Amino acid sequence: MRWRILLCNDGSPESAGSEAALRCLGLLKDSEVVILGVVEAGHDEAAFRSALQALAGKLSADGVAASVRVRRGHAAEEILAEAEETCYDIVIVGARGRRGLTRFRLGSTASRLAEHLPTSLLACRGAGEPTSKVLICTSGEEPALETVRTAGEIAASAGADVLLLHVMSQVALSWESPADDLADTAETAITRGTPEGLHLRRGLEILREVGVVTQAVPRLRHGLVVDEVLDEVRESGTQLLAIGAHRVPETRRSIAPFLDDVAGQLLANAPCSVLIVRHRVA
């Protein structure tokens, strides 16, 4: 796949790590990279622009189609505006940053981007470390298989091992729910042909289709989604966590503040890089 990437750079070490993460994930091959810098009040634009041009030159020397774009204003607002105006496959930021990628008046900038970006977001932590293990979370619903596909393509580019995780509630949804479902592992769910098992089986097929060459391993955990995902990240030594992002339908906007922000919680608490996959609506 050829990726069109928006690489956000604020001059901080975390931003430099984002470029290293691209290399570790194998995303620079056959990709087009736009390096975005946002100049905020009181900063030296000339020196900042020079640093961005140097990064573009470094990427170009490696055969990457790289260009620089500079905007003026607040980092979060300008990144969102750029992503709205131009079609990108993925926006990449450091999970921490010096100038506006650390905190925003309504929360972290990365969290704001995760909520409002029209495309996928990669927030980098520990950039530069080899990406040998990717954990892909799936909700068990049909749209989540597209998340598996996109994250699988990135894992295949990195040559990483993949864990495919689905978290089930630790309590039965109804009196008719089979008790065996609450004790299932991924393997028993697949063997018994439960809805969760069939979903995991299809996810594994998709991972093979997109070129994941190592044996992907299914996981089924029971409990609270955020807690179980974070436990799996820590236990497995995951370097990249991939989750789906779904906009709240217009008919449910009034209850949006009361819904659990799973993506935001994982973005804030995961000790690794986080990929939030969003598919553009045509």
Side-chain angles (χ1 to χ4, degrees):
M1 175 177 176
R2 181 179 177 85
W3 298 88
R4 182 169 172 81
I5 298 168
L6 181 65
L7 179 62
C8 303
N9 188 296
D10 70 347
S12 68
E14 289 79 9
S15 292
S18 299
E19 179 249 334
L22 281 179
R23 297 181 185 279
C24 291
L25 290 171
L27 292 179
L28 289 178
K29 183 180 180 182
D30 298 325
S31 291
E32 178 184 353
V33 178
V34 175
I35 304 168
L36 175 66
V38 180
V39 179
E40 296 180 337
H43 290 87
D44 186 343
E45 179 176 347
F48 188 37
R49 189 182 292 270
S50 177
L52 298 181
Q53 292 291 355
L55 176 56
K58 179 181 177 182
L59 293 175
S60 297
D62 291 337
V64 179
S67 60
V68 169
R69 194 162 296 175
V70 175
R71 301 179 70 109
R72 296 170 182 80
H74 190 284
E77 300 301 330
E78 295 305 321
I79 293 169
L80 288 170
E82 177 67 27
E84 290 283 356
E85 294 169 11
T86 305
C87 183
Y88 294 98
D89 297 306
I90 188 168
V91 174
I92 300 179
V93 300
R96 295 288 184 270
R98 185 180 69 197
R99 300 189 319 107
L101 293 184
T102 304
R103 284 287 153 191
F104 183 73
R105 59 189 172 86
L106 297 179
S108 75
T109 295
S111 292
R112 181 169 171 79
L113 295 176
E115 181 179 357
H116 295 288
L117 272 176
T119 191
S120 299
L121 172 71
L122 173 61
C124 298
R125 286 192 181 94
E129 300 176 2
T131 304
S132 60
K133 187 164 293 184
V134 175
L135 175 62
I136 303 176
C137 298
T138 175
S139 66
E141 300 174 352
E142 189 66 24
L145 293 176
E146 287 305 309
T147 297
V148 174
R149 184 176 299 278
T150 298
E153 290 172 348
I154 292 176
S157 294
D161 295 334
V162 175
L163 301 176
L164 181 63
L165 172 67
H166 174 63
V167 179
M168 291 181 65
S169 171
Q170 57 191 348
V171 295
L173 294 180
S174 71
W175 292 108
E176 292 80 18
S177 299
D180 288 348
D181 289 358
L182 302 181
D184 262 332
T185 64
E187 291 75 14
T188 59
I190 290 172
T191 299
R192 295 199 306 119
T194 67
E196 295 79 15
L198 293 175
H199 182 84
L200 287 171
R201 179 184 296 168
R202 178 57 186 142
L204 295 175
E205 292 172 353
I206 288 172
L207 292 173
R208 289 192 291 270
E209 290 170 6
V210 300
V212 174
V213 295
T214 58
Q215 182 66 43
V217 177
R219 289 274 200 271
L220 186 62
R221 298 182 69 119
H222 303 264
L224 301 175
V225 172
V226 172
D227 291 346
E228 295 301 324
V229 172
L230 292 176
D231 284 348
E232 185 69 36
V233 167
R234 297 184 184 102
E235 293 168 13
S236 64
T238 289
Q239 288 92 32
L240 175 63
L241 168 65
I243 58 180
H246 305 288
R247 293 187 187 277
V248 178
E250 291 297 332
T251 55
R252 302 180 69 194
R253 292 290 179 189
S254 61
I255 65 170
F258 305 101
L259 300 178
D260 287 339
D261 180 15
V262 172
Q265 292 181 60
L266 291 174
L267 184 61
N269 295 293
C272 61
S273 297
V274 178
L275 171 68
I276 301 178
V277 180
R278 189 188 302 280
H279 302 278
R280 285 182 179 267
V281 178

